[in-house]
């Protein structure tokens, strides 16, 4: 029955619909900034604090379904990626900006994809408005109301959601406060360099002999992969798409005195970054910049489906391993990166007082004469 109340609701809805286009017209007066994305661990050029008025920041990403080698034994998967990399590129905007993404799914792809931005509000994070078949593209705009680092990922529905995410289809966006980052007392914090590390769990099926299997297409790999996924034990846990993507000659470079912001995302599974021989001077463990950073952390916890940020000033030169401090995952499954830090060693912070040498007879190592068990 069409009641008076219903009529009022309808009138209110049409009034809302009528006002909607006006909102879009307001945005047309805002500055528009086109940004070219770069592959992780690097991040496109950006201002840390900005005096610019809220702007429409335009990004474009292309979905690439591609075969990727994920370890040093040549194990291959049919990856699904934003812009060809695992993780997808880091986007940077400022709080109050509008993020406008053109998402392209080329006709050469085989699957439907979309994007769910954890930083956006409504419509499944944009997932409900961005589902595109091969040969289609879509443009989504959302307002960056919350400051922080946030995951984005593909979420095409049902079991496709975890499958696409663990096939590599995730990344992160950093929404900076307009006046930049602040320490625990509210003083400005500026980094010299920012790196983006995306941690990824892969679930590669094995044959009867225990060897990793290969498949003709992503679709062919799906039933076996789903079986491995359901056991929840990854075969690979890697940084930036493969074992050793960020070690050796691919190590992240820094200098003594350099202030580095390390952004770490995991779209699916919990992890616990740790910088061996260093710390998190300031850590936004949950990644949200309206909260005060924690100080002096040894290890920080990144919940699956989130990103965190750690700010550190390197104080000693050398090779630092940056790991998931589930050390089995770091060493056996691949979750290790390296920072190569140049500069001068500080003896005050650490010095080898005596190099390894034969034990001298008569040295009573470890004996605390007369003080054992007493607190003084
Ligand atoms: Cu997808």
């Amino acid at each position: 029955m069409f009641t008076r109340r219903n009529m009022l609701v309808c009138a209110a809805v049409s009034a809302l619909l009528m006002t909607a286009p006006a909102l879009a017209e307001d945005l047309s007066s805002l500055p528009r900034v086109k940004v070219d994305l770069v592959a992780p661990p690097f991040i496109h050029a950006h201002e840390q604090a900005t005096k610019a008025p809220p702007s429409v920041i335009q990004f474009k990403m292309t979905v690439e379904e591609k075969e990727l080698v994920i370890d040093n034994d040549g194990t291959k998967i049919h990856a699904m990626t934003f812009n060809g990399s695992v993780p997808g590129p880091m986007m940077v905007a400022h709080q109050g900006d509008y993020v406008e993404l053109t998402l392209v799914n080329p006709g050469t792809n085989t699957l439907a994809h979309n994007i769910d931005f954890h930083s956006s509000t409504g419509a499944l994070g944009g997932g409900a408005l961005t589902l595109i078949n091969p040969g289609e593209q879509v443009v989504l705009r959302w307002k960056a109301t919350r400051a922080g680092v946030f995951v984005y990922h593909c979420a095409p529905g049902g079991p496709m959601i975890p499958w696409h995410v663990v096939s590599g289809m995730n990344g992160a966006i950093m929404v900076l406060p307009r006046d930049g980052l602040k320490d625990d007392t509210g003083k400005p914090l500026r980094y010299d360099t920012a790196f983006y590390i995306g941690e990824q769990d892969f679930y590669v099926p094995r044959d009867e002999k225990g060897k990793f299997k290969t498949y003709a297409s992503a679709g062919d790999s799906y039933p076996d992969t789903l079986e491995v996924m359901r056991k929840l034990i990854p075969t690979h846990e890697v940084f930036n798409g493969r074992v050793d993507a960020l070690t050796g000659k691919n190590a992240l470079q820094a200098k003594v005195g350099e202030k580095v912001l390390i952004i770490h995302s995991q779209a699916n599974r919990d992890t616990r970054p740790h910088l061996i021989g260093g710390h998190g001077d300031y850590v936004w463990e949950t990644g949200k910049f309206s909260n005060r950073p924690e100080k002096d952390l040894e290890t920080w916890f990144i919940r699956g489906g989130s990103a965190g940020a750690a700010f550190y000033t390197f104080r000693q030169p050398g090779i630092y391993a940056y790991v998931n401090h589930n050390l089995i995952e770091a060493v056996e499954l691949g979750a290790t990166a390296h920072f190569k830090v140049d500069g001068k060693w500080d003896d005050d912070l650490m010095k080898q007082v005596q190099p390894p040498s034969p034990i001298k007879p008569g040295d009573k190592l470890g004996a605390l004469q007369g003080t054992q068990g007493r607190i003084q």
Side-chain angles (χ1 to χ4, degrees), residues 63 65 80-82 111-114 153-156 160 164-165 169:
V63 180
E65 297 171 8
M80 303 172 205
T81 73
F82 288 106
L111 300 160
H113 301 282
N114 68 353
H153 63 91
C154 187
M160 289 295 112
H164 285 225
V165 170
M169 226 172 153

Side-chain angles (χ1 to χ4, degrees), residues 39 65 68 137 207 213 227 238 243 257 271 297 305 309 325 330 374:
E65 297 171 8
L68 280 187
Q137 68 172 47
D207 65 17
K213 288 170 80 169
E227 224 174 279
V238 302
V243 176
T271 182
L297 297 198
H325 211 293
R374 262 196 287 151

Side-chain angles (χ1 to χ4, degrees), residues 119-160:
S119 39
S120 74
T121 305
L124 307 177
L129 304 177
T130 53
L131 189 63
I132 43 174
N133 286 311
E136 295 181 332
Q137 68 172 47
V138 66
V139 182
L140 178 75
R141 187 182 60 228
W142 53 273
K143 191 171 187 177
T145 55
R146 295 159 202 268
V149 284
F150 297 83
V151 161
Y152 63 77
H153 63 91
C154 187
M160 289 295 112

